[in-house]
Amino acid sequence: MSEDRYDVVIVGSGPGGATMAWKLAQTGRRILLIERGDYLKRERENWDTREVFAKGRYQAEETWTSSSGETFRPGLHYFVGGNSKVYGAVLLRLRREDFDAVRHPGGTAPEWPVKYDVFEPYYQAAEELFQVRGRRGEDPTEPPSPKPYPHDPIRHEPRIQALSDAWAREGLHPFHLPMGGLLDQDETGAATPHSRLLRCDPFDGYPSLTNGKADAQVMCVDPALQTHPNLTLLKNAYVERLVTDASGRSVVGVETIVEGRAHTVRGDIVVVACGALSSALLFLRSADEHHPEGLANRSGQVGRNYMRHNNATVLAISRVPNPTEFQKTLGLNDFYHAHALSPANPFEFPLGHIQMVGKSDGMQIEAEGLPSALHWLPEKPFDWIARHSIDFWLTSEDLPRPENRIFYRDGRVHLDLAETNMDGHRALREMLRSICDKADIHPHLADRRLYLGRDTPIGGTAHQAGTLRFGEDPDTSVLDLDCRAHGIDNLYATDAGFFPSIGAVNPTLTIIANALRVADRIAERLGPA
């Protein structure tokens, strides 16, 4: 492969990179999108629980080292579309208050230098691009928006509607989750004959065999390639390092390994969007005489301040069977803020977000080893538990700490991670337990650990953020307010690495919205084609 030059080179095809490619392709400029992996194969195993969860079929074949010295496989997925190929597709905006400093028992989540009002029109554009299904006005914590969701919400099935009604009778405010699920419903809520998404269990954490999930490949990469010949996708290409010019102030080469051979790509502008962890590693690998500690690392913050939420997937047992096919339709934010803003929360600090998650099946429960945790259900088979299971995802905010970081040591990747804000997370779990009994659910919660990724530490590497934080001061941040690297004129980053704090909702919609925001700045800089 010979050297080539593009107006913009984008590294990574997850939500941040794919959205950037989709937007900039419309400028008519020559755009190259580089992806480390290939298209994820559509195969029967996409929906095989044992293959996806127990065997980690689609996880990256890498070994990292944790702060305790143990090795693990990170929950990363190297495919066109990135981690969004297996994400849960809940596309929530950060709350308006999340952009301000938020106090927790273990410290304060820092304020964002760019506020919600700047992001709002980009959030709306992101919801339209990813065809989000939802309904405004149900969630009392949702930030202001002048427009509705582009599509009506995915309807609850009877057992989930009963759960929603029970919680509403208790004065809570359950709401339809804003979903990137491409379900076309008839008047009963069933999938129409031509719907891309079916009402079926294999969704949350699985690849979509029918392309029914609004992931970055389906919504951005493929449509942009079909309509814009000026966009090129380079697959199976590992970007080894970025090379700067003699002054160290501009990236002049993207050194890439393709089929075992080195190849240098050149771009007037380079956008890194590999995911917060992998992007930080690329910045570190690119150290040179002008940037001895890694690109844009004058602050020493590259790779630091890693956040991943305090996540947990828990299983509860319904007293009546739960035959729901597509369970992930309901959310609850009544405990999201501290008591003043969330009256149902008895604590003076935020707890976080509760939502449904994809329903367990018998094979998954067997692989989890859950019966030992459910000893109060003696001699019950796995399938019986699955028929009665109701499954929840809990998200609490964790706090950025410089000590929580990704870095290289002796050529190996290390991920140091100390838990933060677990008081809020434990309190959220207790609140869920207390309200289950009011909805005809046994108040016993069992952990489903495989969903977070096989052999991964707490929280896995889902919701990765914070390793390239943005800000005005190059002494305390890596990127400026336009997500351009401090001191490097043509280098940008548009994954969740720029987050100063992470709130308690999935970061994907904010990644997409920010990529659209930064794409506008880059398009202005490029000028007419």
Side-chain angles (χ1 to χ4, degrees), residues 209-228:
L209 184 58
T210 63
N211 282 339
K213 186 181 296 188
D215 63 48
Q217 173 219 318
V218 171
M219 307 312 294
C220 294
V221 177
D222 291 351
L225 288 171
Q226 291 166 8
T227 56
H228 297 288

Side-chain angles (χ1 to χ4, degrees), residues 50-67:
R50 195 175 298 279
E51 289 291 328
V52 172
F53 291 103
K55 295 184 178 180
R57 182 181 184 89
Y58 302 108
Q59 271 182 252
E61 294 286 349
E62 293 187 8
T63 301
W64 291 3
T65 304
S66 71
S67 50

